[in-house]
Amino acid sequence: MSPINYVYLAALLFTIGAAGVLIRRNAIVVFMCIELMLNAANLTLVAFSRMHGNLDGQIMAFFVMVVAAAEVVVGLAIIVMLYRARHSASVDDASLMKL
Amino acid sequence: MIGLLVGVPLLGAAVLLCGGRRLDRSGHWLGTLLAAASFAIGAVLFFSMLGEDAEHRAMHSKLFSWVPVEGFQADVAFQLDQLSMTFVLLITGVGTLIHLYSVGYMEHDPGRRRFFGYLNLFLAAMLLLVLADNYLLLYVGWEGVGLASYLLIGFWQHKPTAATAAKKAFLVNRVGDAGLAIAIFLMFTTFGTFAFAPVLSSAGEASEGKLTAIGLMLLLAACGKSAQVPLQSWLGDAMEGPTPVSALIHAATMVTAGVYLITRSGAVFNGAPDAQLVVVVVGAVTLLFGALVGCAKDDIKKALAGSTMSQIGYMILAAGLGPIGYAFAIMHLVTHGFFKAGLFLGAGSVMHGMNDEVDMRRYGGLRKYMPVTFVTFGLGYLAIIGFPGLSGFFSKDQIIEAAFAKGGTEGWILGAVTLLGAAITAYYMTRVMLMTFFGEERWRKAATPSPDRPDVEPAAETRGEHAEPHPHESPKIMTIPMIVLAFGSVFAGGLFKAGESFVNWLEPVTAFEHGHSPVSAATVTTATVVALVIGVGAAWFQYGRKPVPAVAPRGNLLTRAARRDLLQDDFNHVVLVSGGTHLTRSLVYVDHKVVDGAVNGTAATFGGLSGRLRRLQNGFARSYAVSMFGGAAVLIAATLLMRAV
Amino acid sequence: MSFPLLTVTAALPAVGAVATAAVPAAKRTAAKWLALVFSLATLVLAAVVLVRFDPDGARYQLTESHAWISDFGVRYELGVDGIGAALMALTALLIPFVIGAGWHDADPDPSPSSSSRGDPNVRGSAAVDTSRWRPTQGFFALILAVEAMVLVSFAATDVFLFYIFFEAMLIPMYFLIGGFGDRAHAAGEEEGAKQRSYAAVKFLLYNLAGGLIMLAAVIGLFVVSSDSLGEGTFSLPELLRARADGELTMSTSTERLLFLGFFVAFAIKAPLWPLHTWLPNAMGEATAPIAVLITAVVDKVGTFAMLRFCLGLFPNASEWATPVVLGLALVSVLYGALLAVGQRDIKRLVAYASISHFGFIILGIFAMTSQGQGGATLYMVFHGISTAALMLVAGFLISRRGSRLIADYGGVQKVAPVLAGTFLVGGLATLSLPGLAPFVSEFLVLVGTYSRYPVVGIIATAGIILAALYVLVLYQRTMTGPVRKPEIERMPDLKVRELAVVAPLVALLVLLGVFPKPLSEIVNPAVEHTLSDVQKKDPKPQHPVADHADPSAWFDYKPAGHGGGDHE
């Protein structure tokens, strides 16, 4: 199977993730969609790495995974705190930073 | 030595004004002593000057370089010549007498120390004015006397009228001062200097236009200081000051500074006939103006102020005649210094005995109660109207003669004006005399001020006395200066006239030419005496023959106008005061709304703009995400497009 | 390497600022004394600068030069000419008086009911926690910081260095204006705080806007110099030399644009009509000592910089702009004076009077005559002293009655004669009475202006009449008349501290009015240098009197007019 199909899949996953971020209100879901987009990006990195016979992309993917893990830790903590404080996980309710 | 002349009273002013209350008890004597010391120095210098021959009498001393800037050198340096000497003796002499008088007059005033400090300050400034060897230093004295006059007119500052009068005097003088400043600019650009000697000795080289401009600007300055039309309006109000001040500053010395300035700058005026003509016209107009105002005033000091204005008009007129008149201008100035100071001191003595009443309609018959005042005032009166043999006769007669000698139609007009002025002088002075010292004792029935004349009432308020006055003679310390001045009024003129001593004395400085009058001297003298008799007769006819009403009659149009100083203040009010008020108000509005409005408008525009932009920050995370995606998409699209092209 | 006198002079108040700020909260008095001592020590150093300065020596003296940002040719270069030395002395002279006059201005309010007094930050915490917040220390530290920055500005001969400090002094000034207001505000506490912050923001934004334009011009200057000289430089002596040698050339339009960039910034600071509106707000809302700091010290940097940078670097453009600048200056003179007449607030009145005076200064600078520019420099110094005298006494007056409105006074002379007397002297100095220092400078400015532009000179002379008007009206309304208000009846006269602040200023006014020679001798050579930068010569008199240098010869003159001939 041609590696290009993985790229198509990644594009599809990214689109789903992006749509999720834009459409869904629940912070957890939005968060998961962001993860989806990150992994879509990972997939393209790996696919292109394979296509060009260059390992740089795979190394980059590891970095992304680490960063994503760190981000999940911080992000989930924020969401949990927000839920405790406001009893809601809707991103639209969290508009405190608005001027 | 010359510096000491200025320094001594200046020291007195500094000590008295900074000394604090410790000097309250002795300060007035210190002030008087220093004034006398200054007179003594002046006298010593005078006699040493007499020892020299006429051409080498001038003395000069440079103290230090004052403002040295490239091309602009002003020194603090003094020049004492015959003209300055005359003034020095007048200023310190009359000044000392008036200091002495003030010791009595201001005895119960809590601010006496301050008063003597100001008086000393005035002496210092006035001496600086006449001793300066350049116009810039003269300017310092010029404004210095203005300051002293401001402080002294407003001496009773708690009276709003006094404070206003002081401010007015300073402001009107400032207009004149601006003229002097511009004259100095002109001299500087024309001659590269403004010291007397180089400017005056090379005045002939400059073009007539320049000289005319300088002359007119000097005249403006003189008008301000000497209360000449059109800057005359402050002098009447200046009578709000204590009477010794009116005698010293607003009669004998400061107001004559304009005459000094014009005489001193004779060389400039000699080269500018147009400027001279304007000087003469100003003098003639003021002469009549002041005389008319003097006729209508019921306030004794204001009547005398009108008279001062008129007499200075004589001097200015004489000074405008050129070398035929300078010496007579100064001569009249000196004799006027004696008799007018004497008259004012007499008026002060009357007020002193009358609870500070100034309305002559509430005087009358005072000769019995104040014999010394009556006699000295009477001698001053005879001198000012030009009674033959007294000071005023000689000096005024000379001016009238010189006016005829101007020649041509001008000469006839000027001669007629001066004669008319002499008649009016006789009229208003006789009126003052009759209303004050003769007739029935009107003060008995007019103990309370009439409500319909509130403008003459406040003087009584200043010392909080409203009881019926008990006229009494003033103490010796006040009468002695009056007696001395009376001697001066009687004999000074004759002394000056004898052998033309005064003219010869001044000749090296001011130059002198004998005018050639179309009418003989005897005719002029006769005409003067006739004018005098007419004036006195008219006054007696009106005020001596029948009782004077205690409340002023309405009077005809001219009288009413003259009572209001010929509408000068109304004119000023309409044109300058209300115009100026509107201007400043509208400018304040413009500054706030337009200039600042533009600034605030700019700020508001940016504020509004950012307010709109702020709406984009709506706080919804998803809308931010949309803009991020959109932005990223646009960027990618643009990159691809660029690639494609 | 000689002793870096200028750096030490400027650094001393900076050190003082840090030290004052570090004083513990409870020891407020110690902080005040510390600030005073530092300001006095700076004054001593500034006096040493003045003494060490040799009027006949090189143009810039006491120079120091160190590489700073070598990539951009920015150097730490200091050096003073006569003008800079005189203004450094003025600055160092006035700060002790500002500190002395503001001794109690930043004390925490004893009454807890109105707590927002010292600083907006305190608002809300009803019981002011003095252990944490230290307004007094901050106040004096900020004053010293301003002093340090102004001193560097007067000494900097590197354009970039000057720019940095020209801008940086806005920061402490902003806090001084916005943070410390009068004890009592006519419009109430809340409104007062609001107006104060409005004034501070206006001051900051206005001056920042000017600074931004100037920054562009500074960069432009660097580009031009690196184009012409091969290597860009900000060094003023270097630029002037290159300019004079013809190495540094710029096109007419470039020069004009750069000139405008600099000039607008300085005209805002100075302030010149119509860029003046921040001044009345700032001076009105700030306490009197801070108002003095603004008008007598900080604003002088603007006029100083016009003389040093605009004329020196862009002579042709300066000449091109002269008619407009003179026109604006003339408008400033008359407009400021007229508006001063129309003011109802004492401090705003002084502010508008200052605008009028700055008009005179700019007039003198752009008249391009040695009298004009020498007069303008002296004017900067003398105006500083006279305004300080007037404004500080006005501040004492205001602190007694708790009102800035002229109408709330009257008859003060009766109850507080010393206060009234010093106020009058300050006022008389403001109206340039001869014998007091400002007269010398104002007259020089007018003569200098008149000799090149007669009409402008004559119109400006009207300013001296208007000056008399606003000063005397102010004096009349506040000091004279009967005492009608009980608050005034109880008004105490000047205290010892206040007298100690005012008396030296008054003495200086008199002293410099009678004997300005030492100062003018320091200033004159610098003015001649500036004039040679713009290649201008004084207009010659039409009929110069040849021998007036010889004092004995001139006074044996014969009265002119002998033999007449000029009249019929």
Side-chain angles (χ1 to χ4, degrees):
Chain A
M1 195 168 66
S2 158
I4 192 76
N5 290 330
Y6 292 100
V7 177
Y8 290 141
L9 177 63
L12 194 67
L13 285 174
F14 189 87
T15 314
I16 293 169
V21 168
L22 294 183
I23 292 165
R24 298 303 297 262
R25 276 183 209 155
N26 191 309
I28 305 279
V29 177
V30 170
F31 213 73
M32 283 160 63
C33 289
I34 291 173
E35 289 301 313
L36 202 56
M37 284 156 71
L38 281 171
N39 283 312
N42 271 350
L43 194 54
T44 48
L45 285 172
V46 173
F48 282 127
S49 166
R50 167 87 185 167
M51 277 160 75
H52 296 143
N54 186 337
L55 284 180
D56 286 0
Q58 300 194 16
I59 293 168
M60 194 65 81
F62 279 113
F63 274 109
V64 173
M65 280 182 207
V66 173
V67 170
E71 183 221 325
V72 167
V73 172
V74 177
L76 274 179
I78 292 174
I79 290 169
V80 169
M81 292 306 289
L82 207 63
Y83 183 76
R84 276 197 195 156
R86 324 204 97 208
H87 300 291
S88 150
S90 165
V91 288
D92 286 0
D93 287 350
S95 56
L96 286 177
M97 293 286 276
K98 184 173 84 166
L99 263 171
Chain B
M1 190 77 172
I2 307 180
L4 220 53
L5 212 47
V6 180
V8 165
L10 194 61
L11 176 77
V15 168
L16 287 174
L17 292 178
C18 305
R21 299 193 194 289
R22 272 157 295 169
L23 289 169
D24 269 356
R25 277 149 53 89
S26 60
H28 50 288
W29 287 116
L30 178 71
T32 313
L33 190 72
L34 289 175
S38 166
F39 176 66
I41 299 170
V44 168
L45 286 169
F46 174 66
F47 286 113
S48 74
M49 194 184 253
L50 280 183
E52 305 278 337
D53 56 314
E55 293 293 322
H56 299 101
R57 278 175 176 163
M59 288 177 240
H60 183 258
S61 92
K62 177 178 164 176
L63 288 193
F64 54 87
S65 170
W66 180 30
V67 192
V69 171
E70 192 67 30
F72 181 99
Q73 304 289 335
D75 295 336
V76 174
F78 300 119
Q79 169 188 352
L80 183 66
D81 57 13
Q82 290 88 331
L83 180 61
S84 312
M85 193 73 237
T86 312
F87 272 89
V88 166
L89 291 178
L90 177 73
I91 295 160
T92 53
V94 176
T96 307
L97 289 176
I98 286 172
H99 271 77
L100 211 55
Y101 177 91
S102 308
V103 171
Y105 190 83
M106 302 297 284
E107 198 177 352
H108 303 295
D109 198 291
R112 186 170 56 173
R113 172 179 58 86
R114 201 159 47 87
F115 181 80
F116 278 85
Y118 293 161
L119 274 188
N120 271 358
L121 178 68
F122 168 76
L123 281 189
M126 189 72 202
L127 288 169
L128 184 65
L129 196 166
V130 297
L131 286 172
D133 90 324
N134 62 66
Y135 281 97
L136 194 66
L137 196 59
L138 179 143
Y139 187 84
V140 176
W142 194 262
E143 288 233 320
V145 291
L147 170 69
S149 154
Y150 168 78
L151 293 170
L152 285 165
I153 295 171
F155 183 72
W156 288 315
Q157 289 188 329
H158 51 91
K159 273 164 65 185
T161 46
T164 310
K167 180 188 70 182
K168 182 174 172 187
F170 196 98
L171 281 177
V172 177
N173 268 299
R174 256 278 153 133
V175 177
D177 296 347
L180 184 54
I182 294 173
I184 298 176
F185 303 160
L186 273 162
M187 284 176 205
F188 179 71
T189 52
T190 312
F191 303 108
T193 175
F194 37 78
F196 287 153
V199 167
L200 298 176
S201 57
S202 54
E205 294 165 30
S207 66
E208 192 181 313
K210 281 275 175 197
L211 290 180
T212 308
I214 296 176
L216 289 178
M217 284 300 133
L218 290 175
L219 175 65
L220 180 62
C223 284
K225 200 56 82 192
S226 295
Q228 300 293 295
V229 175
L231 298 178
Q232 80 294 1
S233 63
W234 63 272
L235 187 61
D237 294 334
M239 296 300 130
E240 287 288 346
T243 310
V245 172
S246 313
L248 178 61
I249 301 186
H250 306 119
T253 55
M254 184 191 88
V255 284
T256 56
V259 184
Y260 171 78
L261 185 68
I262 293 177
T263 311
R264 174 60 80 194
S265 318
V268 171
F269 284 95
N270 291 345
D274 292 342
Q276 274 186 324
L277 183 65
V278 181
V279 174
V280 171
V281 169
V282 165
V285 169
T286 313
L287 190 169
L288 293 179
F289 185 102
L292 283 177
V293 171
C295 292
K297 291 286 182 185
D298 288 334
D299 178 329
I300 184 168
K301 287 180 73 182
K302 291 201 169 165
L304 288 177
S307 153
T308 303
M309 214 187 274
S310 163
Q311 297 300 316
I312 296 172
Y314 270 109
M315 301 172 208
I316 295 274
L317 187 150
L321 295 173
I324 57 172
Y326 292 134
F328 302 136
I330 301 298
M331 185 167 150
H332 192 54
L333 191 155
V334 175
T335 55
H336 174 256
F338 285 122
F339 56 67
K340 186 54 67 63
L343 286 171
F344 264 110
L345 293 189
S349 175
V350 169
M351 286 161 60
H352 197 69
M354 296 287 290
N355 292 353
D356 286 327
E357 177 62 73
V358 291
D359 189 354
M360 291 190 290
R361 294 192 184 275
R362 270 173 251 148
Y363 290 168
L366 291 174
R367 66 182 184 283
K368 274 180 289 187
Y369 302 92
M370 303 178 174
V372 182
T373 307
F374 169 62
V375 172
T376 53
F377 196 94
L379 288 173
Y381 154 74
L382 291 176
I384 193 174
I385 63 173
F387 192 80
L390 273 66
S391 293
F393 168 74
F394 292 110
S395 52
K396 201 185 287 179
D397 193 46
Q398 301 273 28
I399 292 179
I400 298 172
E401 223 174 286
F404 277 111
K406 169 90 176 163
T409 332
E410 285 168 36
W412 284 106
I413 295 174
L414 291 175
V417 167
T418 47
L419 276 177
L420 180 61
I424 306 179
T425 306
Y427 171 79
Y428 66 72
M429 284 312 299
T430 312
R431 173 174 175 269
V432 169
M433 198 68 195
L434 290 173
M435 285 175 86
T436 306
F437 292 103
F438 294 89
E440 54 183 304
E441 296 169 357
R442 291 182 299 277
W443 37 270
R444 288 206 190 278
K445 52 194 171 191
T448 49
S450 50
D452 54 339
R453 295 292 310 277
D455 52 319
V456 292
E457 181 264 339
E461 209 176 54
T462 54
R463 297 190 189 176
E465 295 165 39
H466 275 288
E468 181 174 315
H470 301 285
H472 55 85
E473 188 53 270
S474 300
K476 281 230 167 52
I477 198 151
M478 287 167 69
T479 50
I480 287 171
M482 288 154 60
I483 294 168
V484 176
L485 287 171
F487 269 97
S489 324
V490 175
F491 299 113
L495 206 65
F496 293 161
K497 177 73 180 158
E500 300 289 349
S501 58
F502 195 80
V503 172
N504 291 336
W505 161 256
L506 278 184
E507 209 258 10
V509 184
T510 60
F512 178 70
E513 283 170 28
H514 264 292
H516 301 289
S517 175
V519 284
S520 73
T523 322
V524 171
T525 309
T526 319
T528 314
V529 174
V530 170
L532 165 70
V533 170
I534 293 173
V536 172
W540 183 81
F541 187 74
Q542 209 175 343
Y543 294 96
R545 223 167 39 107
K546 54 190 181 200
V548 181
V551 175
R554 203 169 127 78
N556 59 23
L557 205 61
L558 183 64
T559 316
R560 271 179 286 152
R563 250 181 227 145
R564 309 195 53 162
D565 302 310
L566 294 176
L567 306 179
Q568 58 188 15
D569 279 336
D570 306 72
F571 175 80
N572 287 350
H573 191 83
V574 171
V575 176
L576 297 174
V577 179
S578 63
T581 313
H582 284 298
L583 180 66
T584 51
R585 282 216 190 114
S586 50
L587 273 182
V588 169
Y589 181 80
V590 165
D591 193 56
H592 188 63
K593 293 288 173 193
V594 180
V595 183
D596 206 21
V599 176
N600 288 336
T602 315
T605 312
F606 280 108
L609 215 58
S610 47
R612 302 248 161 70
L613 282 175
R614 200 182 66 179
R615 301 238 174 97
L616 292 178
Q617 305 291 312
N618 54 11
F620 293 122
R622 290 180 304 143
S623 76
Y624 299 158
V626 169
S627 52
M628 264 172 71
F629 277 113
V634 169
L635 277 180
I636 291 167
T639 319
L640 289 178
L641 269 177
M642 291 300 283
R643 281 269 184 87
V645 175
Chain C
M1 181 82 215
S2 58
F3 181 68
L5 184 58
L6 291 178
T7 304
V8 173
T9 310
L12 194 63
V15 173
V18 175
T20 310
V23 171
K27 302 193 168 153
R28 272 185 285 111
T29 319
K32 294 173 185 177
W33 281 107
L34 192 66
L36 188 62
V37 166
F38 267 100
S39 67
L40 286 173
T42 313
L43 176 56
V44 171
L45 284 181
V48 172
V49 169
L50 211 53
V51 172
R52 287 269 302 274
F53 183 82
D54 173 17
D56 305 320
R59 177 167 188 180
Y60 296 107
Q61 296 180 23
L62 305 168
T63 50
E64 298 164 32
S65 181
H66 305 282
W68 182 21
I69 312 175
S70 46
D71 286 351
F72 298 107
V74 178
R75 299 181 66 82
Y76 176 78
E77 268 194 5
L78 299 183
V80 284
D81 55 1
I83 303 171
L87 288 171
M88 279 181 83
L90 169 76
T91 307
L93 173 76
L94 287 181
I95 299 296
F97 294 108
V98 167
I99 290 176
W103 205 247
H104 298 301
D105 278 6
D107 287 354
D109 195 352
S111 66
S113 59
S114 48
S115 55
S116 63
R117 179 134 301 157
D119 190 282
N121 293 4
V122 210
R123 196 184 310 152
S125 55
V128 179
D129 188 2
T130 41
S131 64
R132 234 163 16 90
W133 179 243
R134 300 176 297 169
T136 316
Q137 281 83 342
F139 182 73
F140 291 103
L142 287 171
I143 292 177
L144 286 174
V146 172
E147 178 180 18
M149 291 173 186
V150 172
L151 286 176
V152 176
S153 309
F154 285 139
T157 51
D158 184 283
V159 179
F160 193 79
L161 183 68
F162 171 82
Y163 171 76
I164 299 262
F165 282 90
F166 181 76
E167 286 294 278
M169 71 180 85
L170 298 179
I171 301 164
M173 281 317 298
Y174 169 77
F175 288 111
L176 283 172
I177 297 170
F180 304 90
D182 279 328
R183 289 271 133 181
H185 198 285
E189 203 57 48
E190 280 297 307
E191 180 64 21
K194 212 184 274 173
Q195 287 186 12
R196 220 164 25 240
S197 89
Y198 168 75
V201 169
K202 192 169 176 179
F203 163 81
L204 187 70
L205 287 183
Y206 224 128
N207 281 283
L208 272 181
L212 197 63
I213 301 171
M214 181 179 163
L215 179 62
V218 168
I219 295 169
L221 184 68
F222 178 76
V223 172
V224 168
S225 74
S226 60
D227 283 354
S228 290
L229 304 176
E231 194 182 356
T233 178
F234 286 111
S235 162
L236 187 66
E238 182 66 19
L239 288 166
L240 289 178
R241 190 198 53 73
R243 190 88 234 200
D245 295 351
E247 287 173 36
L248 177 65
T249 51
M250 40 185 129
S251 69
T252 315
S253 56
T254 316
E255 187 181 342
R256 287 178 183 175
L257 280 175
L258 291 181
F259 169 83
L260 283 180
F262 278 87
F263 184 78
V264 168
F266 303 149
I268 287 175
K269 193 75 130 201
L272 181 67
W273 188 89
L275 304 171
H276 64 275
T277 51
W278 63 269
L279 187 69
N281 286 93
M283 278 178 77
E285 298 305 324
T287 61
I290 300 308
V292 170
L293 197 63
I294 297 170
T295 186
V297 176
V298 172
D299 285 356
K300 295 295 183 300
V301 181
T303 45
F304 163 79
M306 280 183 201
L307 203 50
R308 180 174 262 191
F309 297 107
C310 284
L311 297 194
L313 292 172
F314 316 108
N316 301 330
S318 302
E319 191 165 358
W320 161 74
T322 296
V324 178
V325 175
L326 284 182
L328 292 179
L330 202 53
V331 173
S332 280
V333 167
L334 300 178
Y335 185 90
L338 281 171
L339 273 151
V341 176
Q343 292 305 311
R344 279 175 292 182
D345 174 326
I346 298 175
K347 285 204 267 179
R348 288 179 69 92
L349 189 150
V350 179
Y352 278 105
S354 284
I355 291 169
S356 176
H357 288 142
F358 278 109
F360 274 114
I361 296 176
I362 295 170
L363 208 58
I365 292 174
F366 278 83
M368 313 260 186
T369 54
S370 43
Q371 298 89 35
Q373 293 190 343
T377 309
L378 293 181
Y379 210 132
M380 291 182 219
V381 177
F382 297 162
H383 169 256
I385 302 174
S386 70
T387 305
L390 182 65
M391 194 68 182
L392 292 179
V393 181
F396 299 149
L397 183 69
I398 290 166
S399 70
R400 282 166 164 67
R401 170 77 171 79
S403 164
R404 287 156 32 191
L405 294 181
I406 296 170
D408 284 344
Y409 295 89
V412 175
Q413 196 271 338
K414 192 102 179 145
V415 286
V418 180
L419 194 156
T422 47
F423 191 71
L424 183 62
V425 175
L428 292 173
T430 303
L431 64 76
S432 300
L433 189 86
L436 298 173
F439 166 73
V440 175
S441 51
E442 190 160 301
F443 204 88
L444 280 174
V445 164
L446 286 172
V447 163
T449 309
Y450 181 87
S451 60
R452 203 183 288 281
Y453 306 99
V455 178
V456 179
I458 288 177
I459 298 174
T461 309
I464 70 172
I465 302 171
L466 292 172
L469 184 61
Y470 61 70
V471 167
L472 295 183
V473 168
L474 173 66
Y475 183 79
Q476 186 192 358
R477 293 198 185 147
T478 52
M479 299 297 172
T480 69
V483 181
R484 292 223 171 82
K485 300 185 176 71
E487 295 93 333
I488 290 172
E489 230 158 77
R490 292 193 303 268
M491 197 176 268
D493 210 334
L494 287 187
K495 299 186 187 75
V496 175
R497 169 182 66 88
E498 295 166 329
L499 204 58
V501 168
V502 178
L505 289 175
V506 169
L508 264 177
L509 283 175
V510 175
L511 188 72
L512 288 170
V514 177
F515 197 56
K517 194 175 164 193
L519 198 60
S520 69
E521 270 177 354
I522 289 176
V523 167
N524 284 345
V527 167
E528 294 308 315
H529 279 299
T530 312
L531 276 179
S532 69
D533 284 344
V534 288
Q535 289 156 5
K536 286 274 188 184
K537 290 230 172 4
D538 288 336
K540 286 268 168 277
Q542 288 119 331
H543 309 278
V545 178
D547 61 345
H548 75 97
D550 179 9
S552 61
W554 64 254
F555 107 110
D556 277 334
Y557 73 103
K558 293 275 167 283
H562 262 315
D566 333 75
H567 39 150
E568 321 111 299

